[in-house]
Amino acid sequence: MGKIIICGPSCSGKTFLRQKLEKSGFHFDISYTSRLQRSQEINGVHYNFISKKEFEEKIKNNFFYEYVQYNGDYYGTGIEEWKNSDCFIMETDGIKHINKEDRKNLFIIFLNPPIKIRTERMKKERQWNNKEIIIRLLTDKNKFKDFSDYDLIITDPNF
């Protein structure tokens, strides 16, 4: 059976698409991260929040199928989650770690709505200030400038 990966910059609609797919019966993994938990997030539902030290210990023990470091924090997919889930949200660097054999059975969706829409979401949904928004937009611009390993791109914010 194939797997679906959703990829996109901040506030591109990844969580929205995830919720739609879950309602249709798809099973998402619960990724691991060392970043701080946001107020609306639930441990074990949105992410498995663990310390940086614990994440690094899991790396040493070959726990992850793929992992990346983004903005100073780790994000990763456990081997068991990879085996038992059919949908994932991943960073571009995480996608680079997918082995060639697994890539044959993946469908990668790249969400890339206009910056204006993403900026509005950052202000409204995350309550980020202008400095935080500018930093994130620049980070995303660099991260996605050469990204081409996807099967479908969605630029319409009303998908």
Side-chain angles (χ1 to χ4, degrees):
M1 182 163 115
K3 298 179 186 288
I4 296 172
I5 294 178
I6 302 169
C7 185
S10 299
C11 294
S12 59
K14 297 181 296 289
T15 301
F16 176 79
L17 182 55
R18 174 188 178 145
Q19 291 167 345
K20 290 272 192 193
L21 290 169
E22 284 176 324
K23 286 179 183 174
S24 296
F26 289 91
H27 180 258
F28 273 80
D29 79 312
I30 300 171
S31 299
Y32 293 80
T33 185
S34 65
R35 79 159 167 76
L36 294 176
Q37 186 174 342
R38 295 180 185 134
S39 62
Q40 74 278 15
E41 292 175 322
I42 300 168
N43 187 35
V45 173
H46 298 101
Y47 283 100
N48 290 303
F49 293 94
I50 60 177
S51 70
K52 201 170 203 170
K53 182 179 180 181
E54 188 177 353
F55 203 107
E56 290 169 345
E57 195 62 35
K58 287 183 179 296
I59 291 170
K60 288 177 191 171
N61 292 320
N62 297 313
F63 178 86
F64 293 106
Y65 176 81
E66 62 80 28
Y67 69 91
V68 299
Q69 199 166 17
Y70 180 71
N71 282 345
D73 294 305
Y74 288 109
Y75 294 82
T77 304
I79 292 171
E80 288 304 309
E81 287 79 8
W82 179 258
K83 290 178 183 175
N84 297 313
S85 303
D86 51 18
C87 288
F88 306 84
I89 294 176
M90 283 190 187
E91 293 284 336
T92 56
D93 292 338
I95 290 171
K96 291 175 188 173
H97 293 274
I98 294 169
N99 71 49
K100 289 179 183 178
E101 203 55 39
D102 287 339
R103 180 61 179 101
K104 294 175 185 176
N105 296 312
L106 293 177
F107 189 80
I108 300 175
I109 301 170
F110 177 33
L111 300 178
N112 196 22
I115 290 175
K116 180 180 178 188
I117 299 295
R118 292 179 43 234
T119 301
E120 290 170 6
R121 291 175 181 169
M122 289 176 192
K123 288 178 183 175
K124 182 180 176 188
E125 297 169 16
R126 304 244 174 109
Q127 282 99 42
W128 288 352
N129 62 43
N130 287 337
K131 183 179 179 182
E132 291 171 310
I133 292 170
I134 290 167
I135 291 169
R136 185 53 62 96
L137 290 174
L138 288 172
T139 300
D140 286 344
K141 182 179 178 181
N142 288 331
K143 179 166 281 303
F144 289 93
K145 70 178 178 184
D146 295 324
F147 181 60
S148 61
D149 189 11
Y150 56 85
D151 301 294
L152 174 68
I153 184 170
I154 299 175
T155 58
D156 183 346
N158 301 310
F159 61 87

